[in-house]
Amino acid sequence: MPIFLVQLSVIVLAALVCGAAAEKLGQSRVVGEIAAGLLLGPSVLGAIDIDAYRFLFSSASMPALSQLGELGLVLLMFQLGLHLDLKSLQGRRQANAPLLVALLGMLIPFALGCAIGLVSRPWIAPHAGAVGYVLFCGLALSISAVPVMARIVMDLRMADSYPATVALAAATLTDILGWLLLAVIAAFAAGTYAFDRTLRDLGLLAAFIAFSLLLAKPLWRSLLNRGKTTAPSAAILACVACYVLLSSWITAAIGFHSAFGALMAALVLRGHADLAQAWRRQVTGFVELILMPVFFAYAGIHVSLGSVQSPDFWQWFLLFLVAAVLGKFGGSYLGARWSGIPHRDARIISALMNTRGLMELIVLTIGLQLGILPVPVYSMLVLMALVTTAMTVPLLRFWQRQERMPAGNRRGAGAVTRDP
């Protein structure tokens, strides 16, 4: 226990310093928090003083940090879901936008990633299984990071905006498909793929969604409306917290990520302003101060960029990076425009969808552990994920500044005027 407390203190302080530095550089705090994990991991601290790294982050003490970070992710997704403005998607010409953005934003980079995987395998992954490696390269380029996107949206105060709502809904759909594809690819790699098991998991997920919306939601509405003249009590908040945790456990047990269960719990409980206010007052501060830095830093701690074995590393990295940006940004933009969204909103959605961050790191780590990805390719894709994530906030801030500029100055700066 004492070493766990030291770990927690070091991570929180490092995340605080790096998060503040990231904001000074025009980035979101989450980029700094992931960078804090990289600095504390084997790539930096381990290279400087391996004994200090082993003392702070021994394998025996890491499970506690992992579980604490998982709790942070679950509570972040619940908080975000409470503030999603889903009504902005109803009764609009662009109501199908999340589906189109998710499909095109995943299919195009997936195809590009598979193509690069097919070409690159003889050069940088000759010993990897052909099918698993090619499919995994496609999956790596097609992922969007809902938790990182959520944190960026909250940092930039965009949670109530229509583009952010579309992007988060599309990213959620993308990640559901991504986790399903990951399960299939992992089964292929292990030689245990079973189509009936995939259908079973999808059926269980559909049953859980139906139960949440058709049964749990009315029950919670009745309970919360019974005391609507007063703020929710501590007992009600405790029951809400237990419901969020159990919902997350169910989706994880089915085979999907626990974050989806937290988001489903939020969709069940959203619309109750008193509950959202009480949660923000009593829980949000602890989540943002302690749990979220642990979650993002934990991912960085497990990234090792110390082994770059291929002499053509940077050429292949640039190819992966260009394909990732063109595929995800371009595919998402086409999906948004196809559904009738104006150019300005479509580019914001595309920039958010190009955020990969932590979900990418989780997927890549699984690929490394399964032996699908060699270390050099893993390192390339980790760098790609960090670069695409770091692109998001500067782009959004630049477009926000353009919006505040007079029309004449925007045209002079080369900005695109609003669609009619």
Side-chain angles (χ1 to χ4, degrees):
M1 177 60 71
I3 189 61
F4 169 74
L5 299 178
V6 174
Q7 289 174 336
L8 190 58
S9 300
V10 170
I11 287 175
V12 170
L13 288 175
L16 177 66
V17 172
C18 293
E23 286 187 323
K24 290 287 186 182
L25 296 173
Q27 279 287 350
S28 172
R29 291 190 67 88
V30 65
V31 175
E33 289 168 354
I34 296 176
L38 290 173
L39 292 175
L40 294 173
S43 300
V44 180
L45 179 60
I48 296 173
D49 190 338
I50 189 63
D51 292 330
Y53 169 73
R54 289 173 176 167
F55 170 76
L56 283 174
F57 304 110
S58 63
S59 57
S61 59
M62 291 305 287
L65 281 181
S66 173
Q67 293 170 1
L68 197 61
E70 182 78 4
L71 176 62
L73 169 63
V74 165
L75 296 182
L76 171 71
M77 295 306 297
F78 176 70
Q79 290 172 186
L80 174 73
L82 284 181
H83 298 91
L84 279 181
D85 183 17
L86 297 182
K87 291 181 179 179
S88 65
L89 298 176
Q90 301 172 359
R92 295 182 60 138
R93 186 164 56 95
Q94 305 96 342
N96 61 342
L99 180 60
L100 286 174
V101 170
L103 287 178
L104 289 181
M106 189 168 192
L107 289 176
I108 294 177
F110 184 82
L112 291 175
C114 288
I116 295 176
L118 193 63
V119 173
S120 67
R121 180 176 168 271
W123 299 92
I124 57 177
H127 304 297
V131 175
Y133 173 76
V134 170
L135 292 177
F136 211 95
C137 286
L139 177 63
L141 267 62
S142 59
I143 286 289
S144 291
V146 175
V148 176
M149 186 189 301
R151 187 64 180 267
I152 289 174
V153 164
M154 295 173 69
D155 286 348
L156 297 182
R157 295 178 176 86
M158 296 173 57
D160 296 329
S161 70
Y162 176 69
T165 302
V166 172
L168 286 164
T172 300
L173 292 173
T174 298
D175 278 358
I176 290 175
L177 291 174
W179 284 110
L180 181 62
L181 276 174
L182 178 61
V184 172
I185 294 170
F188 264 122
T192 60
Y193 173 74
F195 182 71
D196 57 341
R197 181 176 179 180
T198 301
L199 289 180
R200 184 203 67 183
D201 291 346
L202 285 176
L204 289 173
L205 181 64
F208 173 67
I209 293 173
F211 168 82
S212 299
L213 297 179
L214 299 179
L215 293 177
K217 189 171 185 177
L219 288 174
W220 275 109
R221 184 187 298 118
S222 174
L223 177 63
L224 293 172
N225 287 342
R226 186 177 303 169
K228 63 182 179 180
T229 57
T230 60
S233 64
I236 292 293
L237 282 180
C239 291
V240 167
C242 291
Y243 174 65
V244 173
L245 297 177
L246 289 174
S247 181
S248 301
W249 172 76
I250 289 173
T251 55
I254 290 174
F256 296 89
H257 200 275
S258 58
F260 300 133
L263 192 58
M264 180 54 59
L267 296 180
V268 168
L269 293 168
R270 65 178 300 278
H272 300 278
D274 291 338
L275 172 63
Q277 184 177 2
W279 184 274
R280 185 185 306 112
R281 184 174 59 250
Q282 299 192 40
V283 182
T284 298
F286 178 73
V287 173
E288 295 183 352
L289 180 65
I290 303 295
L291 297 184
M292 289 315 304
V294 171
F295 175 64
F296 289 114
Y298 179 82
I301 288 171
H302 280 74
V303 172
S304 176
L305 301 176
S307 53
V308 176
Q309 301 168 358
S310 171
D312 300 325
F313 177 89
W314 293 110
Q315 292 91 322
W316 288 110
F317 162 71
L318 288 174
L319 186 59
F320 275 114
L321 177 63
V322 170
V325 174
L326 291 180
K328 177 62 75 172
F329 192 98
S332 301
Y333 181 84
L334 288 175
R337 294 292 283 151
W338 192 4
S339 60
I341 294 177
H343 162 72
R344 288 187 177 181
D345 288 347
R347 68 184 182 181
I348 292 173
I349 292 169
S350 303
L352 287 170
M353 290 294 290
N354 194 44
T355 302
R356 289 175 174 85
L358 189 61
M359 300 306 287
E360 180 83 353
L361 297 183
I362 294 173
V363 169
L364 295 178
T365 301
I366 292 173
L368 184 68
Q369 292 171 346
L370 293 174
I372 300 174
L373 292 180
V375 173
V377 181
Y378 170 79
S379 302
M380 293 178 199
L381 295 176
V382 167
L383 282 177
M384 177 273 294
L386 295 177
V387 171
T388 54
T389 302
M391 291 170 57
T392 303
V393 173
L395 273 176
L396 294 177
R397 291 190 190 278
F398 174 71
W399 288 331
Q400 286 177 343
R401 287 196 297 269
Q402 282 189 335
E403 291 290 334
R404 292 192 292 266
M405 291 171 63
N409 289 347
R410 286 203 303 269
R411 286 192 293 269
V416 180
T417 56
R418 183 177 295 275
D419 289 355

